[in-house]
Amino acid sequence: MMAIVLTALYAGSFEFMHAAGLIIGSELGTTIKVIISGYTGKTDKKRLAYGNFYFNSYTLLISSVLLYPLTHWITIKLQVSDPLMALVLFQSGINLLAIISFYPFSNRFVDWLQLSVKTNDNEVVTKYLHKVNPEESDGAMSMLQKELNYFLNETIILHRKTFDLETEERQLSLFDSIRGTNKATYEEHYDRLKLLHGELMKFCIEATSHTDDQDYASRVIDAIDIAKNILRAAKNIKDIRHNIIELKTSSNDYLYREYQLLQDSEDLFTATIEKHFKADPAGSAIEEETNKSRYDHMVQRALNLLHQGHISEIEVSSLLNIYREVYSAHKALLNAADEFKPA
């Protein structure tokens, strides 16, 4: 806006006083887009948007009061004859004055914003951990294990969505889209998984730093590894999502058949991993052998397709990359199941 006004002022479209008034108005007008973008966001985003609006309103008030005195001081007292330089001095001076005069009240302003814009309960990232003190080892360990199960459930939902498999909608408000009642997009779901992982890490760090119970500390450290493996599995699948979409939409019947076989494989795997994680962690060792055998078989099948001329070198490279990342995701989830200890 400043550049536009300077250009118009240089062209003689209006006088310096009018340009100064336009700049004053733009200080408040530019906050509208911030208000719109922050309206449906998280609480801190809303607070920042409203804070920006109120501060610019304060700047507008000061500017309106000092418009004539300040422009007079710049042009007469400082003898600035160039209207472009005078406008720059005016705009910089107003903003600097607003900052200096407002700064002593910034802490009170922050407190007021926090009271005025309440935290939305739907923004609670965790499902269980926010209800318990990490220093209370008895209740905290049980809640931590439940949270890990929840983390796994949401990761499996994302995993199945990647392959267009039906999912049981177990998503809480955390995974609701900012657009309202619609479910989160794939990217939003993954980003929130990372937030949940961060909260798990924060809880585990607090738990281990405030306990003398070595058994509790050891199990919390195991939980860190479990959460790390679960998130790694989600990232493995996310990284090849574009390759899977290409495979699904391929006009090559052989590639599309590989996609269908992958679907069947993922449907079977995700149907068994929760059982291993919750009820039979020891069974994950057996599943790991099956996982490796399944991976070797898929690789051999892809190489055969290349040898028979049904797919190109580029296509087999993409296919092998998909198989490798899927295998790594499975391995990470099975490692997590192997380390999990039921309460």
Side-chain angles (χ1 to χ4, degrees), residues 9-262:
L9 184 61
Y10 178 78
S13 299
F14 40 70
E15 298 178 353
F16 166 60
M17 187 66 69
H18 297 156
L22 190 57
I23 286 299
I24 290 176
S26 71
E27 292 285 354
L28 185 62
T30 53
T31 65
I32 300 302
K33 63 179 181 291
V34 181
I35 290 290
I36 294 174
S37 65
Y39 180 74
T40 57
K42 289 179 175 284
T43 301
D44 283 341
K45 187 178 179 182
K46 292 179 181 178
R47 288 170 178 160
L48 182 62
Y50 291 136
N52 176 262
F53 174 77
Y54 293 135
F55 176 76
N56 280 16
S57 297
Y58 171 74
T59 303
L60 176 63
L61 180 62
I62 292 179
S63 303
S64 300
V65 172
L66 298 180
L67 175 61
Y68 290 103
L70 190 55
T71 53
H72 177 80
W73 181 73
I74 290 173
T75 55
I76 304 301
K77 298 295 183 180
L78 295 183
Q79 297 182 346
V80 179
S81 57
D82 184 351
L84 301 181
M85 182 59 69
L87 184 61
V88 171
L89 286 174
F90 174 79
Q91 197 258 0
S92 301
I94 285 296
N95 283 330
L96 184 61
L97 184 61
I99 291 171
I100 292 174
S101 61
F102 192 84
Y103 181 76
F105 308 100
S106 58
N107 289 335
R108 293 183 181 180
F109 183 57
V110 169
D111 293 339
W112 178 75
L113 284 174
Q114 289 176 336
L115 290 174
S116 301
V117 184
K118 300 294 185 180
T119 300
N120 189 342
D121 291 337
N122 291 340
E123 291 181 22
V124 176
V125 175
T126 58
K127 184 177 180 181
Y128 300 101
L129 292 186
H130 64 280
K131 303 175 183 178
V132 67
N133 186 337
E135 299 179 30
E136 300 173 357
S137 58
D138 293 336
M141 195 65 237
S142 175
M143 290 297 183
L144 180 56
Q145 290 167 341
K146 289 181 179 180
E147 197 71 53
L148 287 171
N149 276 324
Y150 171 60
F151 189 30
L152 174 73
N153 288 340
E154 295 301 335
T155 300
I156 289 177
I157 287 176
L158 191 72
H159 193 117
R160 292 180 65 84
K161 282 184 175 181
T162 306
F163 294 91
D164 289 336
L165 297 169
E166 291 185 3
T167 60
E168 178 187 349
E169 291 297 341
R170 293 162 288 186
Q171 296 175 321
L172 298 184
S173 54
L174 163 67
F175 293 91
D176 288 342
S177 170
I178 60 173
R179 292 180 293 278
T181 58
N182 297 327
K183 290 299 178 184
T185 65
Y186 189 95
E187 290 74 16
E188 288 171 337
H189 194 133
Y190 178 73
D191 287 342
R192 288 176 172 90
L193 280 178
K194 292 197 295 184
L195 285 175
L196 182 54
H197 177 262
E199 290 299 318
L200 278 162
M201 294 302 98
K202 179 181 176 182
F203 182 91
C204 290
I205 291 171
E206 291 178 356
T208 54
S209 61
H210 295 94
T211 184
D212 296 325
D213 187 337
Q214 294 303 313
D215 179 64
Y216 173 55
S218 176
R219 298 181 72 182
V220 169
I221 292 173
D222 289 342
I224 293 175
D225 289 334
I226 293 169
K228 179 180 66 176
N229 278 313
I230 293 174
L231 185 65
R232 180 182 297 142
K235 186 178 187 305
N236 285 137
I237 298 301
K238 172 185 174 293
D239 288 346
I240 58 169
R241 184 174 176 239
H242 64 288
N243 298 117
I244 294 170
I245 293 174
E246 291 174 359
L247 194 64
K248 179 178 64 175
T249 57
S250 175
S251 59
N252 186 321
D253 291 339
Y254 291 96
L255 287 176
Y256 183 71
R257 176 56 180 164
E258 288 302 303
Y259 171 72
Q260 290 178 315
L261 292 173
L262 261 177

